[in-house]
Amino acid sequence: MIQRKPNTILFLLLGLCLVSSFLINLSLGSVTVPFKEIFASLTGGEVIKDSWRYIILEYRLPKALTAIIAGGGLAISGLLMQTLFRNPLAGPFVLGLSSGASLGVALLILGAGVFGGTLGSLLASSWSLVLASALGSFLVLLAVLAVTFKIKDTMAILIIGLMFGSVTAAVVSVLSYFSNAEKLQQFIFWSFGSLGNQSWSGILILATCFILGVGLSILSAKALNALLLGEQYAKSMGLKLKQKMVLIILATSILAGGITAFAGPIAFVGLAVPHLTRQFVKTSNHFILIPAVLMVGAILMLLCDSIAQVPFTDYTLPINAITSLVGAPVVIWLLVRKRKLFF
Amino acid sequence: MQHHISEHIISAKNLSIGYSNGKKPAIIVAKDIDLSITKGQLIAIVGSNGIGKSTLLRTLAGIQSPLNGTIDFLDKPSKSYSPLELASLLSIVLTEAAVSKNLTVLELVSLGRQPYTNWMGSLSNNDNAIILEALEATQLSEIQHKKCFELSDGQLQRVYIARALAQDTPIILLDEPTTHLDLFHKASILKLLKTIAHKKQKTILFSTHEIDLAIQLTDTMIIMTPETTVHNTPCRLIEQNVFNTLFPEDFIVFDKMTGRFTIK
């Protein structure tokens, strides 16, 4: 008989982990807020100190939501790229999206120094940062899509994406070389990545990108399953390959581009989370992988952010460093233990 | 001769195959191919390396377009079929494809139902029954929950064939299904294909270098040489001395009595 194992237990466990890491993330920070009071703030109940409510609702909650969106979104875009390019090394940034965002921000921050003038300093507010990086990734996305329409070979697209990344990185270096120390520092801080300091309106935009990207991913899940057999098989089963490829690349770009714009270029999550998830989810069905990868990505990001806060101190470490410091050993340990990369 | 129109499942007229790249002149691999293939046959395509066996299969499968001439399926031009209609008419088995080995046998075979399922790919009872039948026909029921990376080459080949069976098409095209296999597994794959062709009335075309096995096991053979492409039963092909045109005659000759090639 054909048996398909239900995944209820898996998703229950993941859900439980997600909720607990969400609460852990909310309860940790430089100010100690009692657990009961966190709950009261969230549910709109009586809170002893008004400052606690403010910290939870205006600082920690937006940050935790950003962590969920950033972790889940980047992880999904990594999964999409790995399946589309049939390459375990692919991640959301192979298409040069983050390099595009970096270039946008570099032009804004560093270009202001190089070209001088009041125009530069006027633009360097936080909103224009978001705009610049979104514009940067969007332009690279357009270039990649144009290439996708022209070239059939996904490997060629992968390499072209890397070339885009290489060129933009070079332009960023040139800009860095000519800019002053203060501007350079500002740019480097952006590249550390940051989940905090999001306004609620920012989160609304972020959430819109997220829902759009995840929706497109779920719509492409059947095509992604077919692509597990490679392009020729997928085509032979009646798949409209070009159309689906555009849809998948669009989903990745919306997710990775939007998140990079708000939270900076957060490395590692997109590449590692899909591999991490495949170690314990015993299926390649994207209808199960997509939600699982989303949840694992969100959990990982929440935990990394909790660590980055360095509980009970005033320090906040760059999130970009923590995701790699925490994540990389986990992935190495898993691979060494199982001696096999499931892909 | 009496013809039942619907019996001609594949027919090709004046077919030229090869590669064209926009402005450059097209590279013709083989030309003047005429085929008329009836239902329920196991057909081998043989010829030396680079003669165009794979190109012919790819052209028939619609992966690449013919340079000239026409292909008809069930007396309708192949171009008149939509991708989805074509997917319920012919399925393919490729050896050197970028297939994820992390799929279980069951998952991989189930993917064959894709042309018939909804946007979520949910399988109906009918889908499940067809998948089960495909697993049984290829003797994979026992190992259906194994991952593909745990399988031997012979088992893997059967999995790809089962996937094509699950796609439930009257035509199956296979590109060198017996490479990397030992004699026993080569013979069992071909035997399996013959059983499927006759029992389920499917038309199965495969390219191969195992000419002596093909002579024993196939219904008809398509012989591709630089000059011509001929299609006939193995016996008639032997009578017509076609096999001697396959390779340089001063080096390899075909012995009509034993049905084998010998090296001079």
Side-chain angles (χ1 to χ4, degrees):
Chain A
M1 240 340 267
I2 292 179
Q3 297 167 344
R4 288 189 174 76
K5 288 176 206 148
N7 292 283
T8 344
I9 298 169
L10 171 80
F11 282 109
L12 269 176
L13 274 174
L14 280 177
L16 211 66
C17 286
L18 185 59
V19 171
S20 28
S21 43
F22 181 68
L23 290 176
I24 289 171
N25 188 272
L26 282 182
S27 62
L28 293 177
S30 49
V31 177
T32 317
V33 182
F35 213 74
K36 214 174 73 192
E37 302 303 316
I38 293 171
F39 213 73
S41 315
L42 287 179
T43 51
E46 281 290 313
V47 184
I48 299 169
K49 282 192 197 171
D50 261 354
S51 64
W52 285 351
R53 189 207 296 273
Y54 185 80
I55 286 170
I56 296 295
L57 289 185
E58 294 301 316
Y59 183 70
R60 290 190 192 169
L61 188 60
K63 187 163 64 68
L65 288 177
T66 311
I68 289 174
I69 290 174
L74 288 176
I76 287 181
S77 57
L79 175 70
L80 298 193
M81 289 299 97
Q82 287 173 8
T83 301
L84 178 63
F85 293 118
R86 297 283 323 112
N87 189 329
L89 281 177
F93 296 148
V94 290
L95 291 178
L97 293 174
S98 94
S99 326
S102 295
L103 183 64
V105 172
L107 277 174
L108 186 75
I109 300 176
L110 306 175
V114 175
F115 303 118
T118 45
L119 185 77
S121 52
L122 198 77
L123 284 171
S125 69
S126 72
W127 264 104
S128 52
L129 269 185
V130 169
L131 206 68
S133 87
L135 211 64
S137 17
F138 185 69
L139 285 180
V140 172
L141 153 73
L142 280 188
V144 171
L145 276 181
V147 168
T148 314
F149 275 117
K150 254 202 123 90
I151 298 177
K152 285 186 200 132
D153 188 5
T154 47
M155 277 305 155
I157 296 171
L158 194 72
I159 291 169
I160 287 167
L162 288 173
M163 293 301 113
F164 274 130
S166 186
V167 168
T168 47
V171 175
V172 170
S173 325
V174 170
L175 282 172
S176 316
Y177 183 77
F178 284 110
S179 63
N180 61 35
E182 190 196 332
K183 297 283 180 195
L184 202 57
Q185 196 186 27
Q186 200 187 345
F187 176 71
I188 286 172
F189 269 111
W190 174 81
S191 69
F192 281 160
S194 160
L195 300 171
N197 299 325
Q198 301 296 352
S199 64
W200 278 105
S201 59
I203 290 193
L204 200 69
I205 298 172
L206 202 53
T208 314
C209 291
F210 180 71
I211 289 165
L212 209 65
V214 174
L216 283 177
S217 311
I218 291 170
L219 278 181
S220 332
K222 183 178 170 182
L224 288 163
N225 284 342
L227 280 168
L228 287 172
L229 301 183
E231 290 173 28
Q232 293 201 351
Y233 272 121
K235 249 179 135 170
S236 83
M237 295 189 292
L239 188 83
K240 292 187 184 101
L241 192 63
K242 271 251 156 94
Q243 188 191 325
K244 294 293 174 186
M245 238 161 87
V246 170
L247 210 63
I248 292 166
I249 290 178
L250 202 65
T252 311
S253 309
I254 291 172
L255 285 170
I259 291 162
T260 308
F262 282 89
I266 296 174
F268 187 77
V269 176
L271 173 69
V273 170
H275 289 302
L276 211 62
T277 312
R278 282 194 204 96
Q279 295 286 338
F280 58 86
V281 179
K282 297 280 174 250
T283 178
S284 297
N285 184 353
H286 285 78
F287 284 103
I288 292 162
L289 270 182
I290 287 173
V293 159
L294 190 161
M295 287 164 99
V296 174
I299 293 166
L300 191 82
M301 198 56 124
L302 282 169
L303 293 179
C304 284
D305 180 58
S306 309
I307 296 168
Q309 289 303 315
V310 197
F312 316 114
T313 66
D314 287 339
Y315 295 108
T316 306
L317 298 174
I319 186 73
N320 216 342
I322 301 299
T323 47
S324 297
L325 278 178
V326 173
V330 172
V331 171
I332 291 170
W333 173 72
L334 268 172
L335 287 183
V336 169
R337 200 174 61 106
K338 299 224 176 174
R339 286 151 202 243
K340 185 129 188 92
L341 176 72
F342 298 113
F343 180 68
Chain B
M1 246 212 294
Q2 204 183 358
H3 276 290
H4 276 291
I5 288 174
S6 63
E7 272 187 0
H8 278 176
I9 188 147
I10 307 172
S11 50
K13 276 189 197 75
N14 201 16
L15 188 66
S16 289
I17 56 174
Y19 301 87
S20 70
N21 186 9
K23 294 156 205 159
K24 286 180 213 160
I27 303 159
I28 298 168
V29 176
K31 57 180 183 174
D32 303 327
I33 302 170
D34 288 296
L35 295 172
S36 78
I37 293 167
T38 49
K39 248 171 126 179
Q41 284 190 52
L42 179 64
I43 304 148
I45 304 174
V46 298
S48 57
N49 283 326
I51 204 81
K53 299 187 295 295
S54 297
T55 314
L56 177 58
L57 280 175
R58 290 161 59 87
T59 310
L60 288 176
I63 296 170
Q64 63 188 78
S65 320
L67 297 177
N68 212 338
T70 55
I71 301 169
D72 287 2
F73 296 122
L74 296 166
D75 297 307
K76 260 175 73 190
S78 63
K79 280 177 195 158
S80 68
Y81 290 91
S82 74
L84 214 54
E85 285 171 337
L86 209 57
S88 57
L89 188 71
L90 66 87
S91 53
I92 57 172
V93 175
L94 305 165
T95 339
E96 313 288 343
V99 175
S100 168
K101 299 267 180 15
N102 193 30
L103 291 160
T104 64
V105 172
L106 180 59
E107 281 178 325
L108 202 156
V109 175
S110 304
L111 283 176
R113 297 303 299 164
Q114 277 226 347
Y116 310 99
T117 54
N118 62 2
W119 72 274
M120 283 189 65
S122 7
L123 299 168
S124 67
N125 287 338
N126 181 41
D127 291 325
N128 280 326
I130 290 169
I131 292 163
L132 212 64
E133 207 184 306
L135 288 170
E136 265 160 24
T138 46
Q139 291 143 24
L140 291 167
S141 310
E142 299 283 309
I143 53 167
Q144 57 173 292
H145 293 297
K146 275 202 176 180
K147 294 265 186 183
C148 286
F149 59 73
E150 299 174 290
L151 305 182
S152 68
D153 284 344
Q155 289 172 324
L156 206 56
Q157 198 60 54
R158 293 214 306 271
V159 174
Y160 296 149
I161 292 170
R163 190 211 62 84
L165 282 181
Q167 203 174 327
D168 196 22
T169 56
I171 306 168
I172 301 176
L173 307 175
L174 305 93
D175 194 8
E176 303 202 9
T178 54
T179 32
H180 308 307
L181 302 180
D182 61 34
L183 184 61
F184 169 70
H185 286 97
K186 274 178 182 154
S188 23
I189 291 286
L190 294 188
K191 228 153 167 188
L192 171 68
L193 291 176
K194 186 166 195 172
T195 317
I196 294 166
H198 290 181
K199 263 195 184 166
K200 308 196 177 206
Q201 280 298 296
K202 287 183 190 292
T203 307
I204 302 180
L205 268 92
F206 69 100
S207 60
T208 186
H209 289 293
E210 310 302 324
I211 301 174
D212 29 0
L213 277 180
I215 288 173
Q216 295 173 58
L217 283 166
T218 58
D219 297 306
T220 58
M221 291 172 81
I222 296 169
I223 313 287
M224 296 180 81
T225 63
E227 287 79 32
T228 58
T229 299
V230 275
H231 177 210
N232 218 323
T233 60
C235 288
R236 295 296 298 275
L237 289 167
I238 293 174
E239 279 171 26
Q240 293 165 357
N241 211 14
V242 177
F243 289 107
N244 261 330
T245 62
L246 268 175
F247 304 112
E249 264 184 281
D250 51 347
F251 187 47
I252 298 173
V253 282
F254 184 77
D255 186 344
K256 281 185 185 182
M257 299 310 290
T258 57
R260 284 175 183 282
F261 286 91
T262 47
I263 297 161
K264 265 190 178 172

